[in-house]
Amino acid sequence: MVRARGMGMRRLRDALVGAAGLAISALLLAALLLVLAYVFYGAALRFEPEMLLTMGNTTSGGLLNAIVGTWLLSGLALAISALLAIFVAIDIAQYAGARVGSLLRATVDTMAAIPAMVYGLFGFLVFVIYLGMGYSLLAGSLTLSLMMIPYLARSTETAMGNVPKELVAAAYALGASRWQVISRVLLRFGRPLIISGALLTVSIGAGETAQLLYTAGWNPGLPTWFTHSQVGYLTYVVWAGINQPTPYPQGLAFVASALLVGMILVLLLISKWLEGREVRRA
Amino acid sequence: MMSTRASEAREGEVAISMRGIRVSAPGGAEILRGIDLDVYAGAINTIVGPSGSGKTTLLKVMNRLVELDGLRVEGRVEFQGRDLLKADPYWVRRQIGMVFQSPNPFPMSIYDNVAFGVRLHWKVSRGELDRIVEWALMEVGLYEEVKGNLRRSALTLSGGQQQRLCIARALAVRPSVLLLDEPTSSLDPYSRDVIEKLMLRLKSELTLVLVTHDLEQALRVSDYVAFMKFGSIVRWGAAEEVLSGWRDAGSGSHDPRQAHNGG
């Protein structure tokens, strides 16, 4: 009898945990939908076509300079961090278990934990002032890439770790060198997941403001060079526009938010699709 | 570009000679405890024994894959006049190919699978690569089944076909020795027969080292047999001699230890 009651309690507990999980998921989903609805509805109410077609200064004009600036900053940051992150990931994967590997891994994890504002300050002091780049595309991208490297390194490492060990063994057994195994097996067969990780990282970078305030500045037009030429970006428009008392800048802020969220959703969907393709192929 | 197999051992000669092979895990546990074994050229050399006796580890000593598992190897392995354990591991693995327990084709086309190893080692013209791929697929009797479909994903092949593809992939780099780690254990009986016939045909061209659980299979194909137990070789010699003890013990027992005790 005791045993029967125990079973009943266990079943009850399972049911409660299941229900709680469902409730929390529903709550999160509702919050997400609410934010999306608020942003897209607000943007739709205030949208004017010239907002996408002209450049502006957050109080008047459009968002074209900020859209282009966002892509330039996150694209360049991705290029810089991809180069470094792939080497970090290869190092981690190669020295897995060894001391060098765990040191690198700890470094990368710590980098991910540093607040964006601190990176902003670092970028300002080092890239803008000390290296004399001024508020610029390069200073902004370098600072963004500092924050992106840990994400990219981790996702690349995971992607390479997901390549079946049997394929690695097959390549070694055919006489492949370490580098050949990395380039022709790990990076090649891990590619869909590596790209998906890169897209997620870009979407994180595109959503950053704090670091860019210190390093990219703001430009009502387009930057003319990598250094000493400030850059506009969408998060700045949101930050600046929402505090304005007049409706037009607020409208710009809403549309900029919707563009950012839309961009990130598209990147997320592509990355999910790539992951799905990976699973189907395996 | 394909060099002829330099100093290739002829039938009946020793292709690989192992002396005092000890393999231990980083913690110090011994997996192989002093193995002496000669592998004969142009023959099927079979290693049998219960699970955990070190058969696969011994196989991986011969192509130095054992080092990738972080294991420590001591002893001497003579191959083509040098100590294999001190040679360039990439050279060793090109000379000594390996086929694994479960078919492990790359997720790419049939053609690219066979060409994979060739592309690692040589720059060859397209025409030459075509010829090598065709030759390797013919060697394993797969060409007729897949010709015209070489661009198809290797993963669309059946398990038995995939395993033959993996053998073709290994043969394409022209090894002089082929290691086979329970190559039929994951296959159906028909595919097993096809691969056994293939092994018997291949031994006229190269040296085969087979690890198997299946004593019936060892009986059917082996020229030489080594029985392993607890990381040591307990019997070693011509197949007839070594396996007779087990056969005489009656068909009721498939336990390799019977053969050992009987001898």
Side-chain angles (χ1 to χ4, degrees):
Chain A
M1 277 297 105
V2 172
R3 216 177 124 167
R5 211 178 69 182
M7 288 298 287
M9 280 299 287
R10 241 185 280 179
R11 219 167 288 155
L12 183 68
R13 213 175 298 156
D14 280 356
L16 280 177
V17 170
L22 204 67
I24 290 169
S25 309
L27 209 68
L28 284 176
L29 186 67
L32 174 68
L33 290 177
L34 207 67
V35 169
L36 289 181
Y38 180 71
V39 166
F40 284 113
Y41 183 66
L45 282 182
R46 297 162 174 87
F47 179 74
E48 287 166 36
E50 57 265 36
M51 285 179 175
L52 297 183
L53 303 172
T54 60
M55 305 202 210
N57 62 4
T58 78
T59 50
S60 63
L63 297 167
L64 191 59
N65 53 324
I67 296 170
V68 174
T70 297
W71 283 112
L72 285 177
L73 282 165
S74 33
L76 188 58
L78 176 69
I80 296 166
S81 46
L83 216 63
L84 290 171
I86 285 183
F87 281 104
V88 173
I90 289 169
D91 264 15
I92 292 177
Q94 285 296 295
Y95 296 108
R99 224 168 260 162
V100 189
S102 45
L103 182 67
L104 259 174
R105 202 167 284 150
T107 310
V108 160
D109 287 348
T110 312
M111 277 176 80
I114 292 174
M117 199 60 110
V118 176
Y119 277 124
L121 194 61
F122 175 84
F124 175 72
L125 292 172
V126 174
F127 301 130
V128 177
I129 305 288
Y130 185 72
L131 293 177
M133 296 175 188
Y135 290 113
S136 60
L137 178 59
L138 193 59
S141 301
L142 282 169
T143 312
L144 271 187
S145 72
L146 281 180
M147 190 209 66
M148 285 158 80
I149 285 167
Y151 290 100
L152 212 52
R154 270 297 191 178
S155 65
T156 306
E157 191 204 356
T158 310
M160 298 198 313
N162 270 357
V163 173
K165 300 260 173 299
E166 298 77 48
L167 301 185
V168 175
Y172 273 122
L174 286 166
S177 66
R178 252 171 196 225
W179 174 245
Q180 284 175 324
V181 167
I182 290 168
S183 63
R184 300 189 190 201
V185 179
L186 295 179
L187 292 180
R188 181 177 194 165
F189 301 132
R191 195 157 49 198
L193 286 184
I194 291 173
I195 294 173
S196 125
L199 293 179
L200 281 179
T201 311
V202 169
S203 68
I204 292 171
E208 278 300 327
T209 335
Q211 317 164 336
L212 296 177
L213 291 174
Y214 283 108
T215 52
W218 167 260
N219 192 337
L222 294 175
T224 50
W225 186 238
F226 289 99
T227 56
H228 301 288
S229 175
Q230 304 195 20
V231 199
Y233 44 94
L234 287 168
T235 48
Y236 183 86
V237 180
V238 182
W239 182 74
I242 222 77
N243 291 322
Q244 295 293 320
T246 47
Y248 190 75
Q250 291 181 4
L252 280 177
F254 264 105
V255 174
S257 303
L259 281 174
L260 269 173
V261 173
M263 207 171 108
I264 289 165
L265 281 181
V266 169
L267 291 176
L268 268 172
L269 285 177
I270 298 176
S271 107
K272 282 284 154 208
W273 175 74
L274 279 170
E275 277 170 38
R277 235 175 51 133
E278 172 71 6
V279 171
R280 267 202 300 283
R281 206 188 50 187
Chain B
M1 111 287 124
M2 294 265 165
S3 57
T4 50
R5 290 166 222 161
S7 63
E8 185 181 348
R10 260 163 302 182
E11 193 184 332
E13 288 177 0
V14 173
I16 301 176
S17 171
M18 293 185 274
R19 290 296 177 268
I21 298 299
R22 292 180 179 276
V23 173
S24 49
E30 274 208 320
I31 300 164
L32 298 182
R33 309 155 181 256
I35 301 265
D36 297 333
L37 181 68
D38 288 337
V39 166
Y40 290 97
I44 298 182
N45 302 265
T46 304
I47 304 167
V48 292
S51 335
S53 58
K55 306 186 293 290
T56 299
T57 305
L58 182 59
L59 205 62
K60 285 180 167 180
V61 166
M62 293 183 228
N63 68 348
R64 309 242 326 241
L65 273 190
V66 71
E67 291 157 37
L68 296 178
D69 299 334
L71 302 177
R72 216 163 60 91
V73 186
E74 291 166 76
R76 187 178 164 79
V77 182
E78 206 151 311
F79 172 67
Q80 298 192 355
R82 39 181 143 173
D83 186 354
L84 182 152
L85 294 178
K86 294 196 174 80
D88 171 12
Y90 308 132
W91 174 82
V92 170
R93 292 175 197 142
R94 183 155 58 80
Q95 301 296 321
I96 303 182
M98 182 162 181
V99 174
F100 296 81
Q101 188 169 354
S102 303
N104 56 354
F106 296 114
M108 43 199 338
S109 71
I110 294 167
Y111 184 98
D112 288 335
N113 262 280
V114 182
F116 192 93
V118 181
R119 286 174 170 147
L120 289 176
H121 301 295
W122 299 287
K123 286 218 177 307
V124 292
S125 70
R126 189 54 203 246
E128 200 165 356
L129 194 58
D130 286 351
R131 257 190 332 97
I132 295 166
V133 169
E134 191 178 316
W135 168 82
L137 288 171
M138 277 181 177
E139 280 287 285
V140 300
L142 200 57
Y143 187 71
E144 287 303 315
E145 295 164 51
V146 300
K147 69 174 174 188
N149 272 323
L150 296 184
R151 293 281 151 213
R152 221 172 69 193
S153 165
L155 303 183
T156 61
L157 298 174
S158 74
Q161 287 175 320
Q162 285 187 14
Q163 193 62 302
R164 278 186 288 149
L165 179 68
C166 292
I167 297 175
R169 179 176 69 185
L171 292 178
V173 296
R174 304 289 281 176
S176 61
V177 178
L178 187 63
L179 311 175
L180 302 126
D181 186 9
E182 301 191 39
T184 61
S185 66
S186 68
L187 304 178
D188 60 277
Y190 171 75
S191 302
R192 185 198 64 206
D193 288 349
V194 171
I195 286 179
E196 283 182 8
K197 287 203 184 81
L198 174 61
M199 291 191 286
L200 288 168
R201 196 155 49 73
L202 284 176
K203 74 173 183 180
S204 63
E205 297 169 38
L206 70 175
T207 304
L208 290 103
V209 185
L210 169 72
V211 159
T212 183
H213 260 109
D214 181 353
L215 283 172
E216 300 280 358
Q217 179 173 66
L219 265 175
R220 284 192 297 268
V221 302
S222 310
D223 296 300
Y224 301 94
V225 169
F227 259 118
M228 283 189 74
K229 195 175 159 186
F230 303 130
S232 302
I233 287 178
V234 290
R235 286 194 73 184
W236 163 33
E240 277 300 304
E241 245 172 79
V242 176
L243 291 169
S244 62
W246 170 76
R247 202 185 307 180
D248 295 345
S251 55
S253 170
H254 284 226
D255 186 347
R257 277 164 291 194
Q258 291 291 327
H260 169 51
N261 297 337

